[in-house]
Amino acid sequence: MDKQPNAGSESPAQPPVPSRKPRTLGGNTGSRQASVETLDSPTGSHVEWCKQLIAATLNSQISGGVPPEVPSRDLKDSCDGGQGSQYDSDSELHSHAQVFGHQPVVKMDEVPLVPGETIKATANNVMYICPFSGALNGTLTVTDYKLYFVSLERDPYFLLDVNLGAISRLETISVQSNGENTCGIEIVCKDMRSPRFAYKKEDQSNMEVMEMLTKHAFPLSHGLSLFAFQYKEEYPVDGWKVYDAVAEYKRQGLPNESWTISKLNSSYEVCDTYPALLVIPTNITEDEIRRVASFRAKHRIPVLSWIHPETQASIVRCGQPLVGPSDRRCREDERYLQTIMDANAQSHKLTIFDARQSSVADTNKAKDGGYESENFYPNVELNFLEIPNIHVMRESLRKLKEVVYPTIDDQRWLSAVDGTHWLEYIRLLLAGAVRVADKLESGKSSVVVHCSDGWDRTAQLTSLAMLMLDSHYRTLRGFQVLLEKEWISFGHKFASRVGHGDENHANSERSPLFVQFIDCVWQMMRQFPAAFEFNELFLIAILDHLYSCLFGTFLYSSEKERVEQEVQSKTASLWSYVNSQAEDFSNPFYVDYQHQVLYPLASVRHLELWVSYYVRWNPRMRPQVPVHQNLKELLLLRAELQRKVEELQREVSTSHSLSSSSDHNSSSPSHGGTPLHTSA
């Protein structure tokens, strides 16, 4: 298949080519490893053209109608409730984390509450030990949703709030020179911050606040429900309707002669961590399915995630085969994979991508796990992607937090970030996903992806590959469908990996796999700034509410558990909030590159630390004007430009109609003239 021409030479006035061609970052798109020294994106010239056009329009036509919001200083929060106040580095940077929307100016004796939220305890004369601007005395309030601190010692007054769901653990710390009755507490959060407070033990209200903080930060450990079940906000859009499995598979052209949408798992008996609806080969019997399930880890049989619209090559996901040290075989499993290969007439090979390190896969094999043997699976090619396990990723993020919070060593910044290996693991994920996508697109081969159990690295790889291959998933709603499908319905263990409401912070099951995936998406957005309909704020909102427990979207670890807990009827969806104000999360430079495949450059020199997320609590690392404010202004400018384009089109159409009418009159028999044909 022909490659797309050099992105740098792309004409800014031309629309994207509608054919399905790979889009790479950098010079010659014939090689995905091409140099990228002078161009940040394949659509760089188009983006620059947009920027120049907007800049030219800003002063002459639009500036009077789009007054920018001028923050009191770079620490000001963007929500209305933050007006007249100073937000510290530990405060919420964006209004989405509070979901107050149109809240009035906060009075000093009031705590802003979301619907269903109640105040549990309040204490005065509590000291906040700010790592950036020193200690502050103020009032600390704990609700069943957040911690809220306010101090009048500065002008403007100082606010700090932390969603309780973001708290990982509470630790007692020593406080110097404040008397023997003074206690200190460090609130270690999952979102890269750790605010500290000091208080007097003899004050009963202080002790009550700390008791309520412990109780409501970890509600499941204290016999309480998660706050999402108390949250009573009503939205004009129902986010639970975003994902319809049948509709999504139908969009992909399923079912067809080779694949069927099966209800075999409708009661979750075949696999309790899989969704009720599965896409499986048409000519596999129920008995064979059950035998395959017994041979795959956690009964996670190979099922289709995505199918190529032209070649019918497919992405299939599953758990590892339980071959064990004795190399057990399962004839039904071997036939199952052969059937998957046969469903794609374009290729006579099947590629298996095992996300694990080969040494770890061998260790798993000694413990009754393992991988497919090419001796038993004919025409199968096995590849190990050498991605470390969840424990390595957890340790890497811990090291990264030490680098970025509370202080940053400017002289050792690059070496310190490198020492965490975080970007190296991001590179491994992106490189693995590129191999998966390229095998389908260029190799026209179906692929099977698995790790150990098929719910961590497998979800990372399949969803990233689908994001590269299918432009639908790069839209605002399409990305929501991708998360609902590949992560939520297919059983990523959010409850274990995030630890919602659980005080057991040392649980070895905790790991930032979903954060890593969103980071990879951000890296792709940075390389292809016009290819995604959503913006960076959308990704940050997703991660904030991964922890907040305000919405039911990321609660629990399987579709079965969510059905049992009646999540859809008893909680709100994050997508209800997002889609009710979609303009806040929209990318003003978005161009719908339909049928374009994105191949991001997966080398460390093309990757960056996501400072806007990991280092956002440090006021010295923030832009003077919030990025999302600029994006909203650009969206308004784009809407104005689009309106003017439509007006011009109407004028041209009217002119064309008048010209046609005039030509018709002049060519009538009474004038004896020759018909004239004009075009506008």
Side-chain angles (χ1 to χ4, degrees), residues 365-422:
K365 184 177 179 181
K367 300 176 181 179
D368 282 338
Y371 46 89
E372 295 82 359
S373 170
E374 295 179 359
N375 296 326
F376 302 147
Y377 293 85
N379 301 314
V380 163
E381 175 189 338
L382 178 64
N383 299 272
F384 289 100
L385 297 179
E386 306 295 332
I387 301 172
N389 62 27
I390 65 172
H391 312 296
V392 174
M393 303 308 181
R394 180 177 62 247
E395 178 63 13
S396 178
L397 188 65
R398 185 194 65 78
K399 291 179 179 178
L400 182 61
K401 181 175 180 179
E402 291 180 350
V403 170
V404 303
Y405 190 93
T407 58
I408 293 174
D409 185 346
D410 288 333
Q411 294 182 345
R412 296 185 61 253
W413 169 253
L414 294 177
S415 61
V417 171
D418 181 63
T420 69
H421 301 292
W422 183 256

Side-chain angles (χ1 to χ4, degrees), residues 418 422-428 523 526 601-609:
D418 181 63
W422 183 256
L423 289 179
E424 171 61 18
Y425 300 143
I426 295 296
R427 183 197 70 80
L428 285 173
Q523 301 288 346
R526 195 180 64 81
L601 290 177
S603 67
V604 172
R605 69 192 181 100
H606 294 296
L607 303 178
E608 289 185 4
L609 183 68

Side-chain angles (χ1 to χ4, degrees), residues 205-221:
S205 63
N206 291 338
M207 301 307 295
E208 184 181 0
V209 160
M210 296 307 152
E211 179 184 346
M212 290 294 105
L213 179 60
T214 302
K215 184 176 180 179
H216 291 281
F218 312 113
L220 297 185
S221 298

Side-chain angles (χ1 to χ4, degrees), residues 521-554:
V521 176
W522 179 82
Q523 301 288 346
M524 289 179 62
M525 288 175 60
R526 195 180 64 81
Q527 293 190 24
F528 302 99
F532 294 83
E533 187 184 24
F534 48 85
N535 59 28
E536 180 185 52
L537 181 61
F538 176 58
L539 299 183
I540 294 176
I542 289 174
L543 290 183
D544 280 347
H545 291 298
L546 169 69
Y547 302 128
S548 73
C549 295
L550 187 66
F551 301 101
T553 304
F554 298 117

Side-chain angles (χ1 to χ4, degrees), residues 56-203:
T57 310
L58 188 59
N59 293 327
S60 62
Q61 294 180 328
I62 314 300
S63 58
V66 188
E69 299 173 329
V70 181
S72 60
R73 51 186 299 179
D74 61 327
L75 302 180
K76 178 187 173 184
D77 185 82
S78 63
C79 74
D80 294 338
Q83 292 183 352
S85 67
Q86 175 187 342
Y87 269 75
D88 180 70
S89 63
D90 286 328
S91 70
E92 299 294 352
L93 178 59
H94 303 298
S95 60
H96 68 261
Q98 298 176 348
V99 203
F100 295 148
H102 305 287
Q103 179 188 317
V105 175
V106 180
K107 296 181 180 180
M108 294 311 301
D109 58 347
E110 293 181 0
V111 176
L113 303 175
V114 300
E117 181 183 11
T118 57
I119 294 175
K120 297 301 178 181
T122 300
N124 298 313
N125 299 319
V126 175
M127 178 186 294
Y128 169 56
I129 308 171
C130 178
F132 307 106
S133 54
L136 286 168
N137 287 308
T139 300
L140 180 64
T141 301
V142 172
T143 74
D144 46 6
Y145 171 59
K146 66 174 176 285
L147 173 153
Y148 188 85
F149 176 82
V150 59
S151 173
L152 298 177
E153 291 187 348
R154 292 181 184 171
D155 185 20
Y157 59 84
F158 177 92
L159 293 179
L160 162 71
D161 68 340
V162 180
N163 293 337
L164 300 187
I167 297 175
S168 175
R169 66 183 185 273
L170 302 174
E171 292 188 352
T172 302
I173 59 173
S174 60
V175 181
Q176 299 178 353
S177 304
N178 281 287
E180 59 182 18
N181 290 326
T182 300
C183 288
I185 186 171
E186 180 176 14
I187 303 174
V188 181
C189 296
K190 302 167 187 174
D191 59 4
M192 310 297 283
R193 53 177 167 167
S194 298
R196 294 182 169 193
F197 293 92
Y199 60 94
K200 298 289 185 181
K201 287 193 294 186
E202 63 265 21
D203 191 329

Side-chain angles (χ1 to χ4, degrees), residues 405-580:
Y405 190 93
T407 58
I408 293 174
D409 185 346
D410 288 333
Q411 294 182 345
R412 296 185 61 253
W413 169 253
L414 294 177
S415 61
V417 171
D418 181 63
T420 69
H421 301 292
W422 183 256
L423 289 179
E424 171 61 18
Y425 300 143
I426 295 296
R427 183 197 70 80
L428 285 173
L429 285 172
L430 284 172
V434 166
R435 290 181 64 182
V436 173
D438 190 53
K439 183 62 70 172
L440 266 87
E441 182 64 28
S442 302
K444 297 180 173 57
S445 171
S446 293
V447 302
V448 174
V449 182
H450 68 70
C451 46
S452 296
D453 296 319
W455 49 42
D456 288 323
R457 287 163 288 189
T458 300
Q460 290 175 320
L461 291 167
T462 58
S463 51
L464 284 172
M466 291 161 66
L467 196 65
M468 296 172 190
L469 290 163
D470 193 335
S471 61
H472 172 69
Y473 296 127
R474 302 194 286 268
T475 65
L476 185 64
R477 292 218 173 199
F479 191 75
Q480 297 167 24
V481 169
L482 182 66
L483 298 190
E484 287 282 351
K485 180 177 179 295
E486 289 301 294
W487 288 87
I488 297 170
S489 75
F490 272 102
H492 176 65
K493 298 173 66 177
F494 283 104
S496 300
R497 299 293 180 253
V498 177
H500 293 130
D502 181 10
E503 65 183 355
N504 184 15
H505 63 87
N507 190 330
S508 63
E509 291 288 295
R510 303 279 179 89
S511 192
L513 283 305
F514 187 73
V515 175
Q516 269 189 323
F517 162 70
I518 296 294
D519 194 329
C520 289
V521 176
W522 179 82
Q523 301 288 346
M524 289 179 62
M525 288 175 60
R526 195 180 64 81
Q527 293 190 24
F528 302 99
F532 294 83
E533 187 184 24
F534 48 85
N535 59 28
E536 180 185 52
L537 181 61
F538 176 58
L539 299 183
I540 294 176
I542 289 174
L543 290 183
D544 280 347
H545 291 298
L546 169 69
Y547 302 128
S548 73
C549 295
L550 187 66
F551 301 101
T553 304
F554 298 117
L555 302 185
Y556 304 104
S557 296
S558 68
E559 185 176 285
K560 178 185 178 183
E561 291 181 7
R562 295 183 190 96
V563 170
E564 291 173 346
Q565 298 296 328
E566 302 178 79
V567 169
Q568 290 200 13
S569 61
K570 293 184 177 180
T571 71
S573 167
L574 172 59
W575 316 132
S576 298
Y577 164 63
V578 169
N579 295 330
S580 296

Side-chain angles (χ1 to χ4, degrees), residues 642 644-654:
Q642 183 63 38
K644 292 184 178 295
V645 168
E646 292 171 355
E647 287 180 357
L648 290 172
Q649 288 175 336
R650 285 195 295 270
E651 290 178 8
V652 169
S653 177
T654 302

